[in-house]
Amino acid sequence: NAGVTQTPKFQVLKTGQSMTLQCAQDMNHEYMSWYRQDPGMGLRLIHYSVGAGITDQGEVPNGYNVSRSTTEDFPLRLLSAAPSQTSVYFCASSSGLAGVIVGNEQFFGPGTRLTVL
Amino acid sequence: AQSVSQHNHHVILSEAASLELGCNYSYGGTVNLFWYVQYPGQHLQLLLKYFSGDPLVKGIKGFEAEFIKSKFSFNLRKPSVQWSDTAEYFCAVSPYGGATNKLIFGTGTLLAVQP
C-alpha cells in the first residue's frame, strides 16, 4: 500500500490564483481530513469527510473547498489564494464508520508546502 | 472550546537525559489521546495512543505516556533520549461523542538533542 499520497510537494502561487491540492489513500479509509501546519500553531483542521459524498468544516475552513466523490480521493481547492494561506498542508485518513465511536489512528501524507506571493 | 496545551515549546537536552513533555487538554468527556512525532522534513507519525485501559501507554522507540484523568494530562516520557529523537512532538485529542475522528492538536514541542 502507498498509504496517503499528496501532490504536489511544493507549490508557489500568486495572490488570486486558484489551485487544487490532491490527496489519495489506498487503505479504503472512510475518514479523510485536511490540516494546515503553521509555526507555533500546530495543526489545524480545515475540512474533513466521513465518507464519499459527505464533507464538513473544521476549525479554519474559510478560503478552502473540498469534495469527496470517491472513497480514495479528497482534493482541497483554493479558489483565490491569499498570502495568509502560505502553509504546509497535510492530508490524513483513518478507518471508521460514521456514527461509530472509534478514535482510530490517523495516517498522514507527506505534505504540500504552499507559498502564496 | 476544546483545546490542547503543550507547555514546552522548545526543549534542548543532551543525549542520555530523561525527557518529559507536558500535554493538557480541556474537554470534560471521554477522549482518545495521541502523541505524534514529526522528524525534520517528514510527515507526522504516530508514537503512541490511549483509548482505554491501562493509563500507562508504551509506544515506539522507547516512548511512553501516562494518562491522568483527574489532571486532564497525557505527558510523554522517555528515560534516555538519543540524537535521533530530535523532532517536533505533537499531542492530540479526539473527543468521543461524534461521528468523526476529529483530532485537536497542541502547538507542538520542538526537541533538540545534542550529542
Side-chain angles (χ1 to χ4, degrees):
Chain A
N1 287 351
V4 180
T5 58
Q6 291 183 238
T7 56
K9 290 186 177 179
F10 301 95
Q11 183 70 49
V12 179
L13 293 177
K14 294 181 180 178
T15 297
Q17 286 185 313
S18 63
M19 80 158 295
T20 299
L21 308 185
Q22 301 291 345
C23 174
Q25 53 89 13
D26 60 359
M27 297 174 281
N28 202 32
H29 284 170
E30 295 87 351
Y31 183 85
M32 296 185 74
S33 54
W34 276 102
Y35 296 86
R36 59 178 289 174
Q37 182 182 25
D38 301 292
M41 304 189 75
L43 281 80
R44 294 178 292 169
L45 182 64
I46 304 171
H47 286 284
Y48 65 94
S49 168
V50 299
I54 307 169
T55 64
D56 205 346
Q57 296 180 350
E59 182 184 355
V60 287
N62 292 343
Y64 307 95
N65 279 351
V66 292
S67 59
R68 185 92 178 271
S69 56
T70 67
T71 299
E72 293 78 20
D73 300 298
F74 190 45
L76 178 72
R77 281 184 289 277
L78 285 72
L79 298 178
S80 179
S84 61
Q85 295 178 303
T86 293
S87 186
V88 181
Y89 292 85
F90 288 100
C91 179
S93 74
S94 67
S95 62
L97 301 175
V100 176
I101 298 171
V102 285
N104 286 336
E105 170 191 354
Q106 293 198 24
F107 295 85
F108 285 81
T112 294
R113 186 174 294 275
L114 175 68
T115 301
V116 183
L117 303 175
Chain B
Q2 301 149 1
S3 65
V4 178
S5 298
Q6 291 182 243
H7 311 296
N8 313 105
H9 298 293
H10 293 93
V11 174
I12 302 173
L13 295 174
S14 299
E15 276 193 315
S18 64
L19 170 72
E20 181 160 2
L21 302 182
C23 173
N24 288 89
Y25 64 93
S26 63
Y27 182 73
T30 305
V31 294
N32 297 315
L33 298 156
F34 305 83
W35 275 97
Y36 281 86
V37 60
Q38 186 177 29
Y39 297 104
Q42 297 188 24
H43 59 282
L44 275 78
Q45 303 170 42
L46 183 69
L47 263 184
L48 47 79
K49 59 186 177 183
Y50 172 81
F51 290 166
S52 64
D54 189 345
L56 185 61
V57 179
K58 294 192 183 299
I60 61 172
K61 303 186 180 185
F63 286 91
E64 65 178 31
E66 184 176 13
F67 171 49
I68 303 179
K69 189 174 181 180
S70 61
K71 295 185 178 180
F72 299 91
S73 69
F74 190 55
N75 292 353
L76 181 71
R77 299 195 291 250
K78 186 171 183 179
S80 176
V81 296
Q82 301 172 321
W83 177 79
S84 57
D85 293 324
T86 294
E88 191 160 17
Y89 293 81
F90 294 94
C91 181
V93 170
S94 177
Y96 271 24
T100 75
N101 294 328
K102 291 170 67 174
L103 278 177
I104 302 166
F105 282 88
T107 53
T109 297
L110 203 55
L111 171 65
V113 179
Q114 298 175 332

